[in-house]
Amino acid sequence: MVHVRDVMTGDVVTVGLDATYDEMVDRLLAHDISGLPVVDADGVLLGLVTEADLVSREAYGAERRRPLGLIADYLRNRDPAWVRKASGTTAREIMTHAVTTASPDDELRVAARRMLESGYKRLPVVATDGRLVGIVSRRDVLALAYHIDDPRPR
């Protein structure tokens, strides 16, 4: 039986709550990744910022919306969460707070099913105390399934 700890990436690129939009984009591009866990000084997972969160700025513009503008966006079928993220300037304002996670002891097939059914590309892996200890991605699952050497460090 394969567990999440057997395939997860342990050296995770993270940001803090005060990371700026530019810092987050730079980090994603520099490390060729699509998501950044947001952690506190003790490494406790607080949220997650993804490429989609950051692309919302390009989709909706960076200006803050007034209440009437938000109502107009809603009436135009624009998701208020994306509009809110578009005007954010820090990880604290942009991140998704309710993050689906995995435990290092979870069976990999359970984590893979969780990713598939939720539509997430990655799951932060957290210890029982809430500290981030890794991240498991669809690529990790596929690399194991097809015995492909993934060049990323573990």
Side-chain angles (χ1 to χ4, degrees), residues 55-71:
V55 166
S56 65
R57 177 177 284 196
E58 300 305 319
Y60 296 109
E63 67 277 354
R64 296 243 184 234
R65 301 287 203 285
R66 291 186 156 161
L68 191 56
L70 288 172
I71 292 169

Side-chain angles (χ1 to χ4, degrees), residues 79-132:
D79 185 335
W82 291 116
V83 173
R84 178 188 57 77
K85 288 174 185 269
S87 63
T89 60
T90 65
R92 178 188 321 270
E93 298 167 330
I94 297 171
M95 72 182 187
T96 298
H97 295 267
V99 179
T100 300
T101 63
S103 162
D105 298 324
D106 286 346
E107 286 185 46
L108 185 59
R109 69 181 314 134
V110 171
R113 191 174 309 123
R114 195 175 300 145
M115 279 188 265
L116 185 63
E117 291 174 356
S118 67
Y120 297 132
K121 296 178 182 177
R122 76 208 58 76
L123 297 176
V125 181
V126 296
T128 55
D129 63 0
R131 285 181 310 103
L132 181 72

Side-chain angles (χ1 to χ4, degrees), residues 11-151:
D11 187 19
V12 183
V13 178
T14 64
V15 293
L17 286 170
D18 296 323
T20 66
Y21 178 90
D22 289 344
E23 290 169 339
M24 291 181 285
V25 170
D26 286 345
R27 211 163 271 184
L28 287 176
L29 296 175
H31 295 279
D32 193 28
I33 54 177
S34 61
L36 290 165
V38 181
V39 297
D40 69 11
D42 296 321
V44 173
L45 181 68
L46 303 173
L48 186 70
V49 173
T50 67
E51 288 173 322
D53 295 327
L54 298 170
V55 166
S56 65
R57 177 177 284 196
E58 300 305 319
Y60 296 109
E63 67 277 354
R64 296 243 184 234
R65 301 287 203 285
R66 291 186 156 161
L68 191 56
L70 288 172
I71 292 169
D73 283 331
Y74 180 75
L75 292 173
R76 292 183 187 123
N77 290 324
R78 294 181 179 164
D79 185 335
W82 291 116
V83 173
R84 178 188 57 77
K85 288 174 185 269
S87 63
T89 60
T90 65
R92 178 188 321 270
E93 298 167 330
I94 297 171
M95 72 182 187
T96 298
H97 295 267
V99 179
T100 300
T101 63
S103 162
D105 298 324
D106 286 346
E107 286 185 46
L108 185 59
R109 69 181 314 134
V110 171
R113 191 174 309 123
R114 195 175 300 145
M115 279 188 265
L116 185 63
E117 291 174 356
S118 67
Y120 297 132
K121 296 178 182 177
R122 76 208 58 76
L123 297 176
V125 181
V126 296
T128 55
D129 63 0
R131 285 181 310 103
L132 181 72
V133 295
I135 196 158
V136 63
S137 69
R138 292 176 182 175
R139 180 174 296 202
D140 296 323
V141 174
L142 290 174
L144 177 72
Y146 291 98
H147 306 289
I148 298 170
D149 290 329
D150 189 340

